[in-house]
Amino acid sequence: MSSIDAAEAPLKSSATPPPEYKSSMGLVVDVALRVLLFGTGLVAIIVMVASKQTKMIPVAPGIAVPLDAKFSHSPAFIYLVAALSVACLYSIITGVLSVLAFVRGGTSTKLQFHFVMFDALLLGIVAAATGAAGGVAYVGLKGNSHTRWNKICNTYGSFCFHFAASILLSLVSSITLLLLVWLSLYMLSKKIARR
């Protein structure tokens, strides 16, 4: 009976508890992705804002009128510029926080949780803006014969090239935000598993 009691007694170990999860590689990737987000967002904004083109459009035989095509004529393009501007500002703030966390030796669970929440929120905003601008761009490229919306990319080629490049860079920004959400969730799960 005494041997059974001795076997059921909890074993005491002199081992120290596992250290706090500190992944410097995860923080380096986090900072790199935030710099990529800033770069792609800023270039997409610059390309979109610089996408003005003026063409002489004939309205009658011998009469041509200059017409502008610029991003501010479409609410979807304005929304894209606004969403990317917020993403650029956000990437600066969170990039600085990530660098400070790297210098300190690791992020807190609370900070990592906030990164997950705000990265996911911003992913939704940037992806929605990219989709809206992509829809308008598609109508500009192909037109819509059912609603009699004419295509404009055959007339405003430079303008269309600019906003297509901007939408592509915005898509890269969306993918970068998705990777940031996944990375933050992974780092957060590693911290929680170590507790």
Side-chain angles (χ1 to χ4, degrees):
M1 181 91 171
S2 64
S3 63
I4 295 174
D5 289 338
E8 290 179 7
L11 297 174
K12 292 187 179 179
S13 171
S14 62
T16 59
E20 177 75 20
Y21 178 71
K22 296 178 183 177
S23 172
S24 61
M25 186 61 175
L27 287 172
V28 169
V29 172
D30 185 72
V31 171
L33 286 173
R34 293 185 191 284
V35 168
L36 178 65
L37 174 62
F38 175 75
T40 56
L42 183 64
V43 173
I45 291 168
I46 291 169
V47 169
M48 181 62 82
V49 171
S51 66
K52 180 181 177 185
Q53 185 177 5
T54 303
K55 284 283 195 173
M56 297 297 285
I57 306 296
V59 292
I63 300 173
V65 177
L67 287 178
D68 289 337
K70 52 186 174 178
F71 87 97
S72 60
H73 291 162
S74 171
F77 293 157
I78 294 170
Y79 176 42
L80 180 66
V81 169
L84 289 173
S85 299
V86 170
C88 283
L89 178 64
Y90 174 76
S91 67
I92 291 170
I93 294 169
T94 56
V96 168
L97 289 174
S98 292
V99 168
L100 289 175
F102 181 73
V103 169
R104 287 189 198 156
T107 60
S108 69
T109 306
K110 185 176 179 180
L111 179 65
Q112 204 66 46
F113 180 72
H114 284 102
F115 276 176
V116 169
M117 279 191 344
F118 289 119
D119 288 347
L121 175 68
L122 201 60
L123 170 62
I125 292 170
V126 172
T130 303
V136 170
Y138 182 78
V139 170
L141 178 66
K142 300 287 186 179
N144 189 335
S145 61
H146 302 291
T147 57
R148 297 181 191 252
W149 292 341
N150 297 329
K151 57 184 176 181
I152 64 163
C153 287
N154 56 347
T155 306
Y156 296 101
S158 174
F159 174 72
C160 289
F161 177 76
H162 275 84
F163 72 68
S166 181
I167 291 170
L168 180 68
L169 287 167
S170 177
L171 185 62
V172 172
S173 295
S174 296
I175 293 169
T176 302
L177 280 163
L178 179 64
L179 293 174
L180 277 167
V181 169
W182 286 348
L183 177 67
S184 296
L185 283 172
Y186 175 75
M187 290 171 58
L188 190 60
S189 69
K190 287 294 182 185
K191 282 184 176 188
I192 293 171
R194 294 245 177 198
R195 286 187 173 187

